[in-house]
Amino acid sequence: MISIRDMSFEYPDSGFSLRAGKLDIDSGQTAAIIGPSGSGKTTLLHIAAGILLPITGTVRVSDTQISHQNDAVRRAFRIANIGLIFQEFELLEYLTVRQNILLPYRINPALKLNASVRNQAAALADATDISETLDRRPDRLSQGQRQRVAICRALVTGPKIILADEPTGNLDPQISRTIVQVLLEQAARRDATVLMVTHDHSLLDRFDRIIDLEDLQ
Ligand code: ADP
Ligand code: MG
C-alpha cells in the first residue's frame, strides 16, 4: 500500500516542482504511471521509495510514514520492503546471473543469505525462464533476459512494494509485453503492490489502473 497526501516536492535551485494532493495505491494493486518526459515520474518513484523527501505532506508505504523518517530508517525500510527495477537493468558484468540476483544480500549487511534465499533465487530464475543462464555473465544474455535478471533481483528479498522505472524502455515491443507479464505475474504471486513508469501505451491494459502525472498536480 502506498498513500500520499498533500505532497509537494522541489529540487533545490531548479524550477521543477511536483505536487500530489491525494494518491492511494492499495495492497496488491498494479498501477502504471504515465506523463511526458520531465513531468516528474522518476521523481515520484523516488519519493515513494524514500530516496527523496517531500517538502510538505505525508508519504506512507505499507505501515510506515517514510516521509517522516531519517535517512538511516528510510534506507533500512527500503532494503527490507521495496524492490526497484530500472530501465538500464544495472547488472554487474563481473558477477554471474546468480550472483546478480543475490546482489541485495551482498551489499546489505542487514540481509542474511541462507539456503532458503538461495532456493528462492533459483525458483525466481525458473519462473522467469532464465534458469539456464544462472552461471553465465550478463554480457552473454539478451536484453530481455537481462531485465528478467533485474526482476529476480528486485523480488528475491520478498518486497511487498515493487517500483519500476521504464523497465521496458530498452526492449522491443514484443519483449516488452512479455517482461511486463513476467513482472506482474511474479508480483501477483507475492501479493505485491506495483508502481511502474512507462511511456509505452500499448502496455497499459495490463495494469489495474493508470495514473497520469498531470492529473495529480
Ligand atoms: P521524468 O521521469 O518524468 O522524465 P524526472 O522526475 O526525472 O521526470 O524529472 C522531473 C524534472 O526534474 C525534470 O525537469 C528534471 O530535469 C528535473 N530534475 C530531475 N532530477 C533533478 C535533480 N537531481 N536536480 C534538479 N533537477 C532535477
Ligand atoms: Mg524518468
Side-chain angles (χ1 to χ4, degrees), residues 81-86 100-101 104 124 148-159 161-163 183:
N81 297 283
I82 296 180
L84 294 165
I85 304 170
F86 309 96
N100 268 285
I101 294 173
L124 274 164
R148 287 167 197 258
V149 178
I151 289 171
C152 293
R153 183 184 55 195
L155 289 168
V156 74
T157 56
I161 309 280
I162 296 162
L163 303 175
L183 172 58

Side-chain angles (χ1 to χ4, degrees), residues 4-11 16-21 43 47 53-59 217:
I4 296 178
R5 287 287 176 287
D6 303 322
M7 190 279 291
S8 68
F9 174 86
E10 270 172 40
Y11 289 108
F16 177 79
S17 67
L18 180 68
R19 265 160 233 293
T43 303
I47 290 168
L53 275 181
I55 295 168
T56 60
T58 57
V59 179
Q217 306 277 336

Side-chain angles (χ1 to χ4, degrees), residues 38 40-43 87 165-166 197:
K41 303 180 297 296
T42 295
T43 303
Q87 180 172 346
D165 196 355
E166 305 204 36
V197 173

Side-chain angles (χ1 to χ4, degrees), residues 22-87:
K22 181 173 187 282
L23 175 63
D24 289 316
I25 299 154
D26 295 337
S27 269
Q29 201 172 42
T30 63
I33 303 179
I34 58 169
S37 175
S39 60
K41 303 180 297 296
T42 295
T43 303
L44 182 67
L45 275 198
H46 287 181
I47 290 168
I51 296 166
L52 292 172
L53 275 181
I55 295 168
T56 60
T58 57
V59 179
R60 179 176 285 275
V61 179
S62 297
D63 280 324
T64 299
Q65 198 155 307
I66 54 163
S67 50
H68 290 66
Q69 310 295 331
N70 66 33
D71 282 3
V73 171
R74 297 201 315 277
R75 184 176 144 77
F77 179 83
R78 186 160 61 245
I79 290 165
N81 297 283
I82 296 180
L84 294 165
I85 304 170
F86 309 96
Q87 180 172 346

Side-chain angles (χ1 to χ4, degrees), residues 84-97 100-101 128-130 133 136-154 167 170-171 175 179:
L84 294 165
I85 304 170
F86 309 96
Q87 180 172 346
E88 301 294 341
F89 320 137
E90 304 197 7
L91 305 181
L92 296 182
E93 301 298 331
Y94 59 89
L95 297 179
T96 64
V97 166
N100 268 285
I101 294 173
T128 57
D129 208 16
I130 51 167
T133 71
R136 288 190 217 156
R137 310 237 177 242
D139 65 353
R140 307 267 316 279
L141 306 186
S142 69
Q143 298 293 89
Q145 286 174 321
R146 290 169 72 89
Q147 193 57 299
R148 287 167 197 258
V149 178
I151 289 171
C152 293
R153 183 184 55 195
N170 282 340
L171 305 175
I175 296 170
I179 287 296

